[in-house]
Amino acid sequence: MTQNKGKALIIGAGIAGLSSAYYLLQKGWQVEILEQNDLSNNCSYGNAGMIVPSHFTPLAAPGVVAQGIRWMFDSKSPFYVKPSLSTQLLSWGLKFLKHSNQSHVDRSAQAIRDLNLASSSLYNEIAGKEEFNFELNQNGILMLYKTEKVAEEETELAYKAINLGLSVDILDKKEIQTLEPNVQLDVIGGVNYKCDGHMNPMKLMKQMISYLKNNGVTFHTQHQVTAYETVGNTIKAVIANGNKFSADRFIMTGGSFLPELAQKAGIKIQLMPGKDIPSCILLKIQSTDWNMQHYYWKQE
């Protein structure tokens, strides 16, 4: 490792914060992490563990606005934003509306694909280290459907993925059943996104925390950032729990709290906290066979 790059302070100990610490450590930075909770309570533990180069479509897309209006005020919907009369929400909503067009989708797809492929490659590198065993499986994800309408939509998306150079197979009912002979599936077909994978996020989080601690990263839990000390436009220190933390670099990885964190430093970020889950039901097949894939049942 290269040494003496300086001190980096990371705000937030989710997967983004831990990953930032991991790579900064490789580059020779001294790293400290501030976390407002303990190290066992954030969204990074509770996701589906998907690694998905196939998810190259931005959320702002044609048709999303009409559906989103119906969903965004339903706390149980796949897309929920807490209602508010704030100018921040209005500004975000107008920008989201402006970008919900096919031109934006086409313009963004390649960059999102490249970012996702790079992320997938980095997970492979981490999994190859002896300190890590988070059940990484790059054996694909199946998107299943039961109606012709959804089949048409999913097939169209699959062809876009193929045109972007991703490894994808479009399968009929018989091919799906042949792929998984031990599971009876009531479907008319599906798409096998062979470019995708999945892992155990809880194991990854715990192993990453252990690795960072063993390599000199300092964690300050139950520390909530209340203010920043700045000189001009430069942050010099963070105030948390009445304590001052100075550093040469500051990295904000606060997840849904990021806009609030940034605002305290005088930075405006067009990001709104919300709940976003795929418009499908996860059918994680419980089995002792760890080669078994993830399944997603696409709804109407």
Side-chain angles (χ1 to χ4, degrees), residues 98-291:
K98 179 181 178 181
H99 287 83
S100 295
N101 56 71
Q102 191 59 48
S103 176
H104 169 66
V105 171
D106 295 339
R107 188 170 62 251
S108 303
Q110 185 171 337
I112 296 175
R113 176 208 61 188
D114 291 347
L115 182 63
N116 289 341
L117 286 172
S119 176
S120 181
S121 177
L122 290 174
Y123 276 120
N124 288 339
E125 290 181 14
I126 295 173
K129 294 184 176 294
E130 62 180 5
E131 296 93 341
F132 293 91
N133 178 21
F134 46 91
E135 300 170 9
L136 177 65
N137 287 294
Q138 298 284 17
N139 59 349
I141 290 177
L142 285 172
M143 187 69 76
L144 307 177
Y145 39 78
K146 298 181 68 174
T147 70
E148 294 295 340
K149 177 183 176 182
V150 177
E152 182 179 351
E153 295 172 353
E154 197 61 35
T155 300
E156 180 181 354
L157 183 63
Y159 279 120
K160 290 180 180 178
I162 293 171
N163 289 334
L164 283 169
L166 298 176
S167 181
V168 180
D169 284 341
I170 301 171
L171 307 174
D172 59 24
K173 179 178 180 178
K174 183 178 179 180
E175 290 170 321
I176 290 286
Q177 198 61 73
T178 300
L179 191 62
E180 291 293 356
N182 298 320
V183 181
Q184 189 63 41
L185 296 169
D186 180 21
V187 299
I188 65 172
V191 177
N192 184 10
Y193 290 97
K194 297 189 292 183
C195 54
D196 293 350
H198 53 89
M199 50 84 177
N200 186 320
M202 183 169 290
K203 286 191 173 183
L204 173 61
M205 288 291 291
K206 290 181 177 180
Q207 291 166 13
M208 183 64 80
I209 290 169
S210 177
Y211 176 89
L212 294 175
K213 286 183 175 180
N214 290 338
N215 285 274
V217 174
T218 302
F219 287 82
H220 304 278
T221 59
Q222 306 296 340
H223 276 65
Q224 185 170 5
V225 173
T226 54
Y228 298 88
E229 285 189 2
T230 60
V231 176
N233 294 325
T234 303
I235 298 174
K236 292 296 185 180
V238 169
I239 308 301
N241 291 23
N243 301 312
K244 182 167 73 172
F245 297 87
S246 301
D248 301 294
R249 294 289 187 274
F250 298 87
I251 301 93
M252 300 180 191
T253 59
S256 63
F257 296 98
L258 183 57
E260 179 184 345
L261 279 170
Q263 188 175 29
K264 291 175 180 177
I267 303 170
K268 292 184 178 180
I269 297 178
Q270 288 297 330
L271 181 70
M272 290 298 298
K275 181 188 73 175
D276 176 23
I277 59 175
S279 55
C280 54
I281 300 173
L282 173 62
L283 300 179
K284 173 79 178 289
I285 307 298
Q286 299 299 323
S287 171
T288 55
D289 179 6
W290 288 105
N291 290 321

Side-chain angles (χ1 to χ4, degrees), residues 22-72:
Y22 177 86
Y23 290 107
L24 284 166
L25 194 64
Q26 308 305 311
K27 294 295 184 179
W29 288 84
Q30 176 190 352
V31 182
E32 292 189 27
I33 299 177
L34 296 179
E35 168 57 41
Q36 67 176 352
N37 298 306
D38 58 23
L39 296 177
S40 63
N41 181 25
N42 62 52
C43 294
S44 297
Y45 286 94
N47 60 72
M50 300 193 313
I51 300 171
V52 281
S54 65
H55 283 36
F56 53 82
T57 303
L59 184 58
V64 170
V65 173
Q67 181 66 70
I69 291 174
R70 294 192 293 270
W71 274 344
M72 69 182 300

